[in-house]
Amino acid sequence: SSSTTEAGENPFFQEWETPFGVPPFDQIKPAHYLPAFKEGMAKQIDEINAIVNNSEEAGFENTLVAFDESGYLLKTVRSVFDNLTNALTSDELQNIAKEVAPLLSKHYDDIYLNEKLFSRIKEVYNKKDELTLDAEQMMLLEKTYKKFVRGGANLEADKKERFREINSELSLLSLQFGENLLAEINNFKLVIDNEADLAGLSQNIRDAAAETAKNMGEEGKWVFTLQVPSIVPFLQYAENRELREKIYKAYINKGNNNNAFDNKEIIKKTVALRLERANLLGFDTHADFVLDNNM
């Protein structure tokens, strides 16, 4: 690996001497993510193997707690990366996300479809009434057991294979869906050059729109976008009904413009795969699968 990604220099492989241990965003470069993801996955698999190969009888501490505490590095990398891709993404980060998605999908399937690990968790689950567990411990046990069942742990071998394929496809479809949405948001701008069209908008909203216009090379005008801080005050306060309609329709039709960023096919495929996955797990619909775990 290049010098920027060597273990010694990768911020993910060091203690963070920051207030409250927040990520040192200024030091984390895109090149650091992939090695950190891979290392995080490898570490968690080592931790899983340690649980599975423990010669002692499966108990709450050596199985449930050990599993709950596994994957610390991976969780850290994911939380930093997901935060950035949701708030301040770039082509570089999106490309990393595409590379990482199938790796993560396989990683979590390798855990939730690990028969030896599941049999240890099941062992603890089956004797839960004999253990003196408090409410929190019992919740952790029940939630973990259920997560494995929902993760395909009880499926026959051939169905597990298909289950993996579905999860991998869904993770990429979800990424694609989000990328299209982002492109649609970034591709729209409502340019106003007549000040009368700003009626109803306060000075600070106008200033922000003028700043946006300047950044987009539309100096001296006002620009509103589909970004929430821009569209919401416009819909709330602008008196010009035609312009409100224009920006609102653009907002509700994201991914529905029959262009390169159209999401209809992706939705069709997603719905079909979700239904197939729900059926594999014994549910009639994806909604049943979701509601089995949510309110």
Side-chain angles (χ1 to χ4, degrees):
S1 65
S2 64
S3 60
T4 49
T5 60
E6 255 150 38
E9 296 189 21
N10 192 323
F12 286 111
F13 305 150
Q14 296 161 356
E15 282 292 312
W16 294 343
E17 306 291 334
T18 52
F20 308 106
V22 297
F25 287 103
D26 55 326
Q27 291 166 32
I28 299 170
K29 306 282 177 277
H32 293 139
Y33 286 110
L34 202 56
F37 267 117
K38 287 180 173 170
E39 178 65 17
M41 287 186 254
K43 269 204 160 122
Q44 187 167 23
I45 293 301
D46 285 345
E47 291 160 344
I48 297 297
N49 288 335
I51 298 170
V52 167
N53 298 324
N54 188 340
S55 55
E56 291 172 29
E57 189 189 345
F60 184 80
E61 286 296 324
N62 70 14
T63 304
L64 271 298
V65 174
F67 174 67
D68 191 49
E69 289 177 351
S70 73
Y72 182 77
L73 174 60
L74 182 57
K75 284 174 196 157
T76 305
V77 181
R78 278 197 76 172
S79 61
V80 175
F81 184 74
D82 291 350
N83 251 304
L84 276 183
T85 51
N86 285 327
L88 192 68
T89 195
S90 64
D91 291 346
E92 205 172 356
L93 290 179
Q94 284 181 307
N95 287 333
I96 295 168
K98 270 192 199 130
E99 201 172 337
V100 168
L103 298 178
L104 282 175
S105 177
K106 179 185 181 303
H107 174 73
Y108 290 118
D109 283 342
D110 284 348
I111 290 173
Y112 289 105
L113 299 174
N114 182 321
E115 286 169 21
K116 289 180 177 168
L117 177 61
F118 181 56
S119 76
R120 281 185 78 89
I121 287 170
K122 204 173 186 171
E123 214 179 303
V124 182
Y125 182 77
N126 287 340
K127 58 184 180 192
K128 64 178 193 285
D129 298 332
E130 300 146 44
L131 304 170
T132 49
L133 300 179
D134 62 30
E136 287 81 3
Q137 291 170 320
M138 189 62 92
M139 178 64 88
L140 179 67
L141 175 56
E142 287 178 351
K143 285 247 178 199
T144 308
Y145 177 75
K146 193 168 189 179
K147 200 165 182 187
F148 272 79
V149 174
R150 291 170 67 81
N154 277 332
L155 295 175
E156 282 105 58
D158 57 329
K159 288 187 173 171
K160 279 183 179 171
E161 227 18 74
R162 180 61 191 142
F163 191 79
R164 281 175 179 274
E165 286 167 14
I166 292 172
N167 283 341
S168 183
E169 281 182 63
L170 282 172
S171 74
L172 283 170
L173 285 170
S174 159
L175 266 184
Q176 240 177 313
F177 183 94
E179 280 187 6
N180 287 344
L181 218 50
L182 185 65
E184 291 273 76
I185 289 171
N186 290 342
N187 285 346
F188 177 88
K189 57 182 181 183
L190 176 67
V191 183
I192 293 177
D193 50 14
N194 177 4
E195 198 165 352
D197 288 332
L198 300 172
L201 299 172
S202 65
Q203 193 56 47
N204 63 343
I205 296 170
R206 295 177 185 215
D207 292 346
E211 183 69 24
T212 303
K214 191 175 159 187
N215 294 339
M216 290 185 168
E218 301 274 4
E219 186 120 29
K221 300 177 186 175
W222 297 268
V223 168
F224 290 88
T225 69
L226 300 181
Q227 302 281 2
V228 172
S230 186
I231 184 175
V232 169
F234 190 85
L235 288 176
Q236 205 168 351
Y237 301 114
E239 286 168 18
N240 186 318
R241 191 167 190 268
E242 270 172 46
L243 291 179
R244 287 204 315 273
E245 181 183 9
K246 188 179 176 184
I247 200 168
Y248 178 70
K249 282 190 169 164
Y251 185 76
I252 60 171
N253 278 309
K254 298 190 299 288
N256 186 28
N257 294 308
N258 301 320
N259 56 12
F261 308 118
D262 199 90
N263 270 331
K264 290 192 283 290
E265 273 309 307
I266 290 178
I267 290 170
K268 259 191 221 167
K269 286 179 191 164
T270 301
V271 167
L273 287 167
R274 283 176 167 183
L275 176 61
E276 189 186 346
R277 182 175 63 183
N279 292 165
L280 276 176
L281 294 171
F283 294 97
D284 289 340
T285 66
H286 177 68
D288 291 306
F289 169 67
V290 171
L291 287 173
D292 177 57
N293 209 32
N294 295 11
M295 290 186 203

